[in-house]
Amino acid sequence: MCNVYGYVRVSSIEQKEDRQMIALRKAGVFTGSIFVDKQSGKDFCRESYRKLVSLLKKGDLLYIMSIDRLGRNYVEIQNQWRILTKEIGIDICVLDMPLLDTRSGKDLMGTFIADLVLQILSFVAENERENIRKRQEQGIAAAKKRGVRFGRPESETPEDFITVVKSWKQGNIKLEEVLETCHMSKSTFYRKLRKINLK
């Protein structure tokens, strides 16, 4: 008798997996057999996914909501699909794409259609990821042109900074006292010190 599993992935801890969980349970997957990862789909080094694969045996069935929940890297999706269906010998059912159900169409034509659809969808998934990255880069570049600064804001320099530095250089106070007085980390202190170029 085959075991039935489900796999769910969201890109970050903040995102909710409810929609995928509901769809898998509706398909008949028990909650205890659903493996969830909360991280990027750029590769397959994911704890729950690896645990799932270690349990899979020939004849088992794996449900996923959509192909991009499996991953977003075109080459690696193809490779994982081959490992799961050909090497391990499980069936996969992609719920939002009925053509990607390896239980039906086991003949040559069915396999060809499933492989073709997989190639198209995994290409689209990776292409979308690449487009998102490009849009982010363009947005950041445009924001920088407008003068938007990224990263932590520069901490304010105390009015008596130069006086404190002079006192430190003369050996009157220790570095720890300077950092405490100026409310700075050591790296910030030395960075500001380079800027004033005090002799």
Side-chain angles (χ1 to χ4, degrees), residues 154-158 182-184 192:
E154 182 76 17
S155 58
E156 289 186 19
T157 305
C182 298
H183 304 289
M184 292 179 186
K192 290 186 180 290

Side-chain angles (χ1 to χ4, degrees), residues 1-198:
M1 185 176 175
C2 77
N3 295 307
V4 178
Y5 297 100
Y7 179 69
V8 167
R9 184 186 65 78
V10 290
S11 298
S12 67
I13 293 172
E14 293 78 28
Q15 290 184 330
K16 301 294 182 192
E17 67 273 15
D18 301 358
R19 189 174 64 89
Q20 294 178 65
M21 293 291 286
I22 290 167
L24 294 181
R25 284 197 293 261
K26 192 175 176 182
V29 186
F30 293 114
T31 303
S33 297
I34 299 175
F35 292 75
V36 181
D37 276 314
K38 295 192 173 193
Q39 67 185 87
S40 167
K42 65 181 180 179
D43 57 44
F44 285 85
C45 296
R46 307 176 219 135
E47 186 178 349
S48 291
Y49 181 78
R50 283 156 68 156
K51 185 176 180 184
L52 166 65
V53 172
S54 72
L55 295 173
L56 293 172
K57 296 186 291 295
K58 185 174 182 177
D60 287 348
L61 172 61
L62 173 64
Y63 281 98
I64 54 174
M65 179 75 178
S66 58
I67 196 64
D68 67 342
R69 296 306 85 202
L70 188 61
R72 285 192 176 276
N73 181 300
Y74 172 67
V75 174
E76 290 201 21
I77 291 173
Q78 298 282 321
N79 188 45
Q80 285 300 308
W81 189 274
R82 181 186 56 77
I83 290 168
L84 296 174
T85 60
K86 305 290 195 296
E87 292 183 16
I88 300 175
I90 70 162
D91 280 310
I92 302 176
C93 176
V94 181
L95 293 174
D96 71 352
M97 183 54 62
L99 285 172
L100 286 177
D101 185 345
T102 60
R103 294 171 299 176
S104 57
K106 293 277 189 184
D107 59 359
L108 186 61
M109 181 58 75
T111 303
F112 171 74
I113 291 171
D115 286 349
L116 187 61
V117 171
L118 173 67
Q119 287 186 37
I120 293 168
L121 291 179
S122 52
F123 169 78
V124 168
E126 183 172 8
N127 194 52
E128 177 59 19
R129 183 169 69 95
E130 191 62 26
N131 287 337
I132 289 169
R133 187 186 62 77
K134 284 180 182 173
R135 287 195 295 268
Q136 286 173 337
E137 286 176 356
Q138 290 166 352
I140 289 169
K144 282 182 176 177
K145 277 189 175 179
R146 294 194 310 269
V148 176
R149 292 180 61 124
F150 292 88
R152 293 190 306 184
E154 182 76 17
S155 58
E156 289 186 19
T157 305
E159 289 180 14
D160 61 344
F161 184 67
I162 292 176
T163 306
V164 173
V165 169
K166 283 180 178 177
S167 183
W168 167 68
K169 279 186 171 278
Q170 291 165 0
N172 298 328
I173 57 174
K174 294 181 178 179
L175 179 60
E176 290 75 19
E177 294 176 69
V178 174
L179 300 179
E180 190 174 335
T181 302
C182 298
H183 304 289
M184 292 179 186
S185 67
K186 191 183 287 188
S187 60
T188 301
F189 171 74
Y190 282 112
R191 188 171 65 249
K192 290 186 180 290
L193 190 62
R194 285 194 297 274
K195 283 184 180 178
I196 64 171
N197 196 22
L198 191 66

